Amino acid sequence: DIQMTQSPSSLSASVGDRVTITCRASQSISNYLNWYQQKPGKAPKLLIHAESSLQSGVPSRFSGSGSGTDFTLTISSLQPEDFATYYCQQSYSTPPTFGQGTKVEIK
Amino acid sequence: QVQLVQSGSELKKPGASVKVSCKASGYTFTSYPMNWVRQAPGQGLEWMGWINTNTGNPTYAQGFTGRFVFSLDTSVSAAYLQISSLKAEDTAVYYCARDKYGSGSYGFDPWGQGTLVTVSS
């Protein structure tokens, strides 16, 4: 199975900050990398698929980049509604695997 | 709109069984595979497997064979997860999640709201 490792596991940031979350795959996954946002008590929500394709309705302050084994989710200006846990997921091979999550908290 | 609605929370005793439903609307049910994902309390997301909604053929991830069964009722656009011989460690939120494009390669969207299954004596 492909292992997905996110860093950091958690971070504290202020509204307006630029936030970067990284995700590393244990082998090359081309650009089959997806990002999800999960708020407490809610289901995960797909933000970005195929490394950088923003889901309809997702604010443009979210962006994804990378290829191969190293990927990044960037929030250009953190908003109050962005405080949540973010997961990366590879969909290159079965089983699809998730990173352990990055919790973004208010500083 | 495309939507998945799951059945409500369940409290079960060890050894019992539970069946979680996931009812789809807003799209052609048989055109998109359905996945099941587990999230234990305070933990991350774990893919359990998927079911081909066209053929009914299930695929189970390692660790989810034997006691876990995926099934369908295409007449009502519903997928089901049945867990038998429940153990305390099965306590988790279970999500159904549709393949975004049907190929499995572009993530899961949408997700059901989740069903909390609590196993306790």
Side-chain angles (χ1 to χ4, degrees):
Chain A
D1 298 0
I2 297 176
Q3 307 303 315
M4 306 300 293
T5 304
Q6 288 182 234
S7 60
S9 296
S10 65
L11 65 90
S12 295
S14 300
V15 172
D17 283 354
R18 181 182 182 87
V19 168
T20 299
I21 299 168
T22 63
C23 179
R24 174 165 287 178
S26 60
Q27 66 183 73
S28 178
I29 57 170
S30 185
N31 70 334
Y32 290 97
L33 191 282
N34 313 302
W35 289 99
Y36 298 86
Q37 177 193 64
Q38 186 178 33
K39 296 181 178 179
K42 300 294 187 182
K45 171 187 169 185
L46 181 65
L47 293 179
I48 290 171
H49 69 272
E51 171 239 322
S52 60
S53 295
L54 212 61
Q55 280 285 96
S56 174
V58 174
S60 60
R61 61 180 180 274
F62 290 91
S63 63
S65 64
S67 68
T69 60
D70 294 311
F71 300 87
T72 299
L73 173 69
T74 299
I75 310 172
S76 60
S77 177
L78 198 66
Q79 297 302 300
E81 59 268 32
D82 301 337
F83 292 96
T85 299
Y86 294 85
Y87 293 92
C88 63
Q89 178 215 18
Q90 67 81 17
S91 49
Y92 178 79
S93 68
T94 299
T97 44
F98 295 89
Q100 81 278 16
T102 295
K103 187 173 184 179
V104 177
E105 298 175 300
I106 302 172
K107 182 184 279 186
Chain B
Q1 76 279 24
V2 177
Q3 194 174 6
L4 302 176
V5 178
Q6 297 185 225
S7 48
S9 298
E10 301 268 10
L11 174 59
K12 295 290 184 181
K13 294 190 184 304
S17 295
V18 69
K19 192 170 186 177
V20 175
S21 68
C22 170
K23 185 161 173 51
S25 60
Y27 71 98
T28 302
F29 181 69
T30 53
S31 294
Y32 296 82
M34 191 69 75
N35 299 271
W36 289 94
V37 177
R38 182 172 77 178
Q39 187 168 38
Q43 301 301 307
L45 303 167
E46 186 177 19
W47 182 73
M48 302 173 63
W50 68 285
I51 185 164
N52 184 319
T53 52
N54 196 34
T55 65
N57 184 47
T59 298
Y60 301 98
Q62 215 165 8
F64 294 100
T65 56
R67 297 189 300 115
F68 300 82
V69 176
F70 306 149
S71 61
L72 303 171
D73 184 344
T74 56
S75 69
V76 294
S77 299
Y80 302 94
L81 163 65
Q82 184 161 0
I83 312 172
S84 58
S85 303
L86 283 162
K87 308 174 182 180
E89 50 264 41
D90 294 323
T91 295
V93 176
Y94 293 85
Y95 293 101
C96 59
R98 196 197 78 170
D99 265 14
K100 176 172 170 63
Y101 287 132
S103 68
S105 299
Y106 299 102
F108 303 152
D109 178 64
W111 294 57
Q113 83 275 21
T115 297
L116 174 62
V117 174
T118 304
V119 183
S120 174
S121 54

